[in-house]
Amino acid sequence: MSFLGGVFGSARKRFGEKVLAQVLGYDGIESAEFDADAFEVRFRFRDAGYGKLVLDTLFKRCEGQPDAERERRVGELLRDFLTENEPDTWDSVVGRLRPVLRGSERMHVELTGFEGRDVMVWRPALPYLIEMVVVDMPATIQFVNTLDLERWGVDADQVFRAAHVNMAGLAMNTLAAFEPPSGTKVLEFADDDGESYVGSLPLIAGWLAGVRTRTGTSPIVLMPGHLGMFVVLGATEEQLPVFLEMVREKYDEALRPLSPLPYTVDAEGEVVPFQVPEGHPGWHEIRSAEAKLAAHTYRVQTEHLRAERYREEAVSELMHVRAPDGTEHTMTPWTDGVPTLLPRAHFICLVTVNGEVFRVAWEDVAAHVRLTPAPGFDPPRYRVEDHPSAEVMNRLRALAR
């Protein structure tokens, strides 16, 4: 860290702190906090509800400008929030609802004493990703929460349905642009300002299946950041590693990363992670992306669970490991006799009371031991305690690798 960076902080941090001070100066705001990692200011209104200012675009537009420009822009955003936060009706917001994809670690955000999963409206979408709903406002967005549902007199299913209906026009317009490719084609759907919600199209039922029908290919969707996406058509096995390396680089560089994994559509028309068998040219890259995303998401969940008071079980960590041959995988320890919440991993390290340790693939353990997801965890956790019988343990030792 440089001397100036250590004493005065980064420009982004100083900017966020100034925005926080300005937000706290408004009478309608009860409390607020600046999250430097997410680069956003979250706040709670005095009457009811929550709001958030995502600072990435605001910072870019104010960079090099005097403080008065930042004050003007933040003031406009807050006026939109305060106006929109006045008691509203379902009829006034239903047409402005939009679905968005976010990492499931967002459920563990603390909002003025509440846990995000208990306050925000969300549902599972893909492994390590959740679907949320926002109200699209002139200069910002507001995530829908349970207080909104009470005020509007609707349930979460109605909110999700309305958000998807509002995307129908965009879905049809983008489908019309797809044609059978001559060779390999990469289409970038940019949304730098977050105004089109084009990156939410994979959530819309039938959209990616429609792309497959119109192009005659198995499309691959890449969503490295929370805005925009890439659609790859006609990729060969040999080309796939190139696209996987591209999405990994963009994921690592993204201010708000979403996923380094590729996605496609299955036979039933559902969006699913793109999978290939071991030995395929893209297998190592996909395995690496799986491990990276899982380790990141479980790390946030593990920290949150370990911070909870009165938890009786041990919360096992998910470790991201690179083998000597370069293959990346995840593993987690299961110590005999200790009540434990296991994360889903490629390998389980069985630790006996005598100090013996051996590693077995998750699928091999699951073939001999009943591993059932415990309710209430996303990503999933599996509640275990004692190791299986000596006979089963011997079988697992024979499968160790």
Side-chain angles (χ1 to χ4, degrees), residues 326-368:
T327 302
E328 297 179 41
H329 56 262
T330 58
M331 61 183 183
T332 190
W334 174 7
T335 301
D336 190 18
V338 178
T340 303
L341 289 170
L342 293 182
R344 183 69 162 84
H346 292 126
F347 294 96
I348 296 177
C349 289
L350 294 149
V351 184
T352 71
V353 293
N354 297 322
E356 179 190 10
V357 180
F358 58 96
R359 189 186 74 173
V360 184
W362 182 281
E363 292 78 9
D364 290 334
V365 176
H368 293 83

Side-chain angles (χ1 to χ4, degrees), residues 218-222 235 240 244 261-265 271-276 280 282 286 290:
S218 295
I220 297 174
V221 175
L222 308 174
L240 184 60
L244 296 176
L261 281 170
Y263 300 90
T264 190
V265 59
V271 179
V272 295
F274 184 82
Q275 299 288 336
V276 296
H280 186 284
I286 291 177
E290 288 175 345

Side-chain angles (χ1 to χ4, degrees), residues 184-253:
T184 303
K185 190 173 185 179
V186 181
L187 302 176
E188 180 179 9
F189 292 81
D191 187 17
D192 292 339
D193 293 328
E195 295 179 355
S196 74
Y197 298 94
V198 70
S200 299
L201 285 173
L203 289 169
I204 307 306
W207 183 79
L208 195 56
V211 173
R212 177 177 60 190
T213 299
R214 289 188 61 87
T215 63
T217 70
S218 295
I220 297 174
V221 175
L222 308 174
M223 302 179 289
H226 80 294
L227 297 177
M229 65 177 174
F230 298 85
V231 178
V232 182
L233 304 174
T236 65
E237 288 188 359
E238 292 71 24
Q239 292 171 330
L240 184 60
V242 176
F243 297 120
L244 296 176
E245 183 178 352
M246 178 192 76
V247 69
R248 177 68 171 261
E249 290 177 356
K250 291 187 175 296
Y251 174 83
D252 290 339
E253 295 169 357

Side-chain angles (χ1 to χ4, degrees), residues 43-281:
F43 48 89
R44 183 173 184 174
F45 298 104
R46 291 191 185 279
D47 296 331
Y50 298 88
K52 179 176 68 174
L53 295 179
V54 179
L55 304 182
D56 294 319
T57 300
L58 187 63
F59 177 72
K60 291 177 184 177
R61 292 176 177 173
C62 293
E63 195 168 14
Q65 301 295 319
D67 283 349
E69 178 64 11
R70 183 255 309 156
E71 293 170 358
R72 181 186 70 80
R73 289 183 177 273
V74 172
E76 289 177 353
L77 292 172
L78 284 175
R79 278 193 294 275
D80 288 335
F81 262 114
L82 293 168
T83 299
E84 297 290 345
N85 193 57
E86 292 175 359
D88 49 14
T89 64
W90 174 243
D91 289 341
S92 71
V93 300
V94 63
R96 292 181 287 141
L97 299 174
R98 301 290 187 275
V100 294
L101 271 170
R102 294 293 186 268
S104 59
E105 70 272 9
R106 289 186 64 88
M107 292 187 296
H108 305 303
V109 171
E110 293 289 338
L111 298 169
T112 320
F114 295 92
E115 186 179 355
R117 66 176 297 125
D118 298 326
V119 175
M120 308 308 296
V121 173
W122 65 276
R123 64 184 179 186
L126 289 160
Y128 312 113
L129 301 180
I130 60 175
E131 178 182 0
M132 305 178 78
V133 178
V134 300
V135 180
D136 182 51
M137 298 193 291
T140 187
I141 61 173
Q142 183 169 340
F143 284 85
V144 176
N145 59 61
T146 54
L147 294 176
D148 294 325
L149 301 186
E150 293 177 12
R151 187 167 66 253
W152 298 335
V154 298
D155 59 28
D157 287 340
Q158 289 174 273
V159 168
F160 282 112
R161 281 197 300 271
H164 282 227
V165 167
N166 293 337
M167 294 288 291
L170 179 63
M172 294 300 294
N173 289 339
T174 52
L175 274 181
F178 283 95
E179 298 177 350
S182 54
T184 303
K185 190 173 185 179
V186 181
L187 302 176
E188 180 179 9
F189 292 81
D191 187 17
D192 292 339
D193 293 328
E195 295 179 355
S196 74
Y197 298 94
V198 70
S200 299
L201 285 173
L203 289 169
I204 307 306
W207 183 79
L208 195 56
V211 173
R212 177 177 60 190
T213 299
R214 289 188 61 87
T215 63
T217 70
S218 295
I220 297 174
V221 175
L222 308 174
M223 302 179 289
H226 80 294
L227 297 177
M229 65 177 174
F230 298 85
V231 178
V232 182
L233 304 174
T236 65
E237 288 188 359
E238 292 71 24
Q239 292 171 330
L240 184 60
V242 176
F243 297 120
L244 296 176
E245 183 178 352
M246 178 192 76
V247 69
R248 177 68 171 261
E249 290 177 356
K250 291 187 175 296
Y251 174 83
D252 290 339
E253 295 169 357
L255 290 173
R256 299 177 65 80
L258 184 64
S259 172
L261 281 170
Y263 300 90
T264 190
V265 59
D266 66 12
E268 286 72 42
E270 298 293 326
V271 179
V272 295
F274 184 82
Q275 299 288 336
V276 296
E278 190 169 355
H280 186 284

